[in-house]
Amino acid sequence: MHSRLRPELPLFYNDVYRVDLPDGHRFPMEKYRLVREGLQGELLGRVNGIPAVSFAVSPTASLDDLCTTHDKGYVERYFEGRFTNRENRTVGFPWSEASVKRSLSSVGGTVAAMHAVCADGELRDRRPGARRTPPSLFSGHIAGGTHHAFSDRGEGFCVFSDIAVAANVALRDYPETIRQILIVDCDVHQGNGNAVLFKSKPEVSTFSIHCKANYFSEKEDSDVDIEVEEGAGDEEYLSLLSERLPSLVDHVRPDLIFYQGGVDPLEHDRLGRLSLTREGLRLRNRLVYDTALARGIPTVLTMGGGYPKDLDPASEDFGHIVRSHRDVYEDAAACINTSAF
């Protein structure tokens, strides 16, 4: 157990880097602002029963950090607007200077969240085999989860992999304390990019639980892949997750966990093909958090997918997605507050 003066959940957000998409574009860009505003209203507005939560604008990722993971030529071509039309279509966004800033902040916020749980770990306990006590056990980025990016190409609304970059930066910057990392990917789509990026890197283990009928590109091999049947609901999904995740964590013994908390398994999601309820997703969140907390493992939360059937931000469908995204962070705050440190 950890002893701290106060539990704190540092959160980073990048909705200030706004990208105006063409009319009819299917990406729900407004959800990021709505999730952040909802969290600020809920978590900053309460004192008793909620841990201290901080909010900060996501920094933009550096070239050095990006190149821990991505091909330098690929990164520079994107910076300079030299993607082909086909590359832009595959990523899913038209190129603009605003989109570059948003992509960089999508990575930079996850890197910053990683530093928030790792930064002073090396200073607290240098005994062989001892776990560090981070300033915060959980941190989060209200964006990111861009798990379909590869070293030299992107797809599925992902230019760079924020989690992969943050994982590689953690291994680079905290070699004494971060030796093993686990990516827990609960998006409805397989984390194919991260599976490839870490295929030959035993320091990072990849776990993906996703819909069996929802591959939009070639399937890749994670260290552990769990395919959930189309239409599955809470009981089947949670049974599979609870059967595999805690034992995997005990086997890997990670020093750091990244949680891709996509909400597209939700029954209201336009693209998901699963039938989880909001309560089912909250139980999923709690399972991940309880597993990490029980073992004292610092955990970084990212947003991932969530696609409303109605793209009007004022619609009920849009509200379902926003509410479930908020739950990912609010459930973390509640878990921190109710746990003994």
Side-chain angles (χ1 to χ4, degrees):
M1 294 294 182
H2 295 294
S3 175
R4 298 181 296 171
L5 293 176
R6 64 188 178 102
E8 184 174 359
L9 178 64
L11 297 177
F12 297 85
Y13 63 92
N14 77 335
D15 59 88
V16 296
Y17 296 99
R18 180 180 177 84
V19 177
D20 292 320
L21 297 174
D23 290 343
H25 197 284
R26 61 179 181 165
F27 190 79
M29 189 69 72
E30 284 299 308
K31 73 177 184 177
Y32 296 92
R33 175 184 61 82
L34 293 171
V35 171
R36 186 258 303 170
E37 289 177 348
L39 288 172
Q40 288 177 324
E42 178 68 18
L43 298 180
L44 291 179
R46 296 174 62 180
V47 177
N48 296 326
I50 292 291
V53 177
S54 62
F55 290 84
V57 174
S58 305
T60 54
S62 70
L63 179 62
D64 284 346
D65 285 357
L66 288 170
C67 289
T68 63
T69 304
H70 295 284
D71 176 78
K72 185 177 181 181
Y74 170 76
V75 174
E76 290 176 340
R77 285 197 305 110
Y78 179 66
F79 284 178
E80 297 165 5
R82 293 191 287 115
F83 269 20
T84 65
N85 290 335
R86 181 177 180 180
E87 284 177 306
N88 284 322
R89 286 195 302 271
T90 302
V91 167
F93 294 124
W95 186 91
S96 67
E97 291 185 2
S99 68
V100 172
K101 291 179 181 178
R102 183 180 182 276
S103 295
L104 291 178
S105 65
S106 184
V107 176
T110 301
V111 172
M114 176 276 295
H115 285 303
V117 296
C118 295
D120 70 347
E122 292 180 296
L123 304 179
R124 297 198 177 205
D125 195 341
R126 293 183 179 274
R127 292 173 298 174
R131 282 195 180 276
R132 72 208 166 285
T133 302
S136 304
L137 198 63
F138 285 178
S139 64
H141 189 197
I142 311 171
T146 49
H147 59 171
H148 300 308
F150 299 81
S151 174
D152 59 356
R153 65 183 176 89
E155 64 180 35
F157 303 132
C158 304
V159 178
F160 306 120
S161 173
D162 62 298
I163 290 176
V165 171
N168 282 321
V169 172
L171 292 169
R172 181 194 70 191
D173 290 358
Y174 306 103
E176 293 188 26
T177 53
I178 305 296
R179 299 183 179 92
Q180 194 69 44
I181 294 172
L182 175 63
I183 298 172
V184 177
D185 192 327
C186 293
D187 195 274
V188 81
H189 300 105
Q190 190 207 26
N192 57 337
N194 288 337
V196 171
L197 287 169
F198 294 115
K199 196 173 190 67
S200 301
K201 193 160 192 172
E203 299 92 341
V204 181
S205 299
T206 53
F207 169 93
S208 179
I209 180 169
H210 49 269
C211 180
K212 183 178 181 179
N214 211 339
Y215 294 99
F216 62 85
S217 63
E218 183 178 353
K219 179 184 181 297
E220 303 293 347
D221 291 329
S222 309
D223 291 302
V224 176
D225 282 306
I226 299 178
E227 295 184 320
V228 183
E229 295 293 337
E230 183 173 6
D234 296 348
E235 183 175 359
E236 180 179 350
Y237 184 98
L238 293 169
S239 176
L240 290 167
L241 185 63
S242 62
E243 179 184 349
R244 298 296 298 277
L245 182 62
S247 60
L248 176 66
V249 172
D250 288 337
H251 174 71
V252 173
R253 295 180 58 82
D255 301 302
L256 178 65
I257 290 174
F258 287 92
Y259 174 42
Q260 208 275 24
V263 304
D264 38 11
L266 187 69
E267 59 188 343
H268 301 289
D269 193 89
R270 177 167 52 93
L271 304 178
R273 300 189 188 178
L274 293 181
S275 299
L276 272 68
T277 65
R278 176 188 172 194
E279 184 56 33
L281 282 181
R282 298 194 73 179
L283 289 170
R284 176 200 72 174
N285 298 337
R286 185 76 193 218
L287 175 59
V288 174
Y289 301 152
D290 285 348
T291 299
L293 282 168
R295 296 156 178 80
I297 305 170
T299 301
V300 177
L301 327 176
T302 68
M303 198 156 159
Y307 303 95
K309 296 174 183 177
D310 187 336
L311 289 174
D312 180 355
S315 68
E316 183 178 0
D317 284 326
F318 210 103
H320 286 309
I321 299 301
V322 168
R323 180 65 261 183
S324 291
H325 275 308
R326 283 177 52 185
D327 287 340
V328 171
Y329 305 93
E330 291 181 23
D331 292 343
C335 282
I336 293 170
N337 192 60
T338 57
S339 298
F341 283 86

